[in-house]
Amino acid sequence: MSKIAYSAAAALLAATGATAGVPAHFAGAALLPMAKVSLAQARTAALRAHPGVITDQELEKEGGGTGLRYSFDIKKAGKTFEVGVDARTGKVLENKAEGPNPD
């Protein structure tokens, strides 16, 4: 492989590395630079708190904790639960069944 091809491959990897692992439909992606906990770490914490399948995820400014939280909808046994993880500390702030009017 030529030097140009190696350079192009390295540039491509560097350009995509910053957003790797963040889904295109992720709400709140613009807030990621403020988070100290990565999306992957927050997902792990949420699934530890409430095992199931994540059906929705977002990063939002919300009261409680440090004011920046990942919010996950996790489905298990036909029920949806909302699990909130502080984006700066990784602490689980919320783990409850989703009500009739989900936000």
Side-chain angles (χ1 to χ4, degrees):
M1 202 185 253
S2 71
K3 281 186 174 182
I4 293 173
Y6 279 119
S7 296
L12 179 62
L13 287 172
T16 58
T19 58
V22 178
H25 65 278
F26 179 66
L31 298 173
L32 281 170
M34 298 170 53
K36 292 184 178 178
V37 174
S38 72
L39 174 59
Q41 291 168 321
R43 286 175 61 95
T44 298
L47 289 170
R48 240 187 253 130
H50 200 98
V53 176
I54 294 175
T55 59
D56 193 29
Q57 58 192 2
E58 66 181 320
L59 179 58
E60 59 192 345
K61 289 184 178 180
E62 191 170 317
T66 63
L68 186 64
R69 112 177 22 189
Y70 290 100
S71 180
F72 300 97
D73 288 347
I74 300 177
K75 194 166 189 170
K76 181 177 180 183
K79 285 189 173 184
T80 301
F81 294 81
E82 184 172 359
V83 178
V85 177
D86 192 295
R88 293 187 176 120
T89 66
K91 180 180 176 185
V92 175
L93 302 172
E94 179 180 21
N95 184 0
K96 65 177 184 174
E98 190 81 275
N101 301 312
D103 32 53

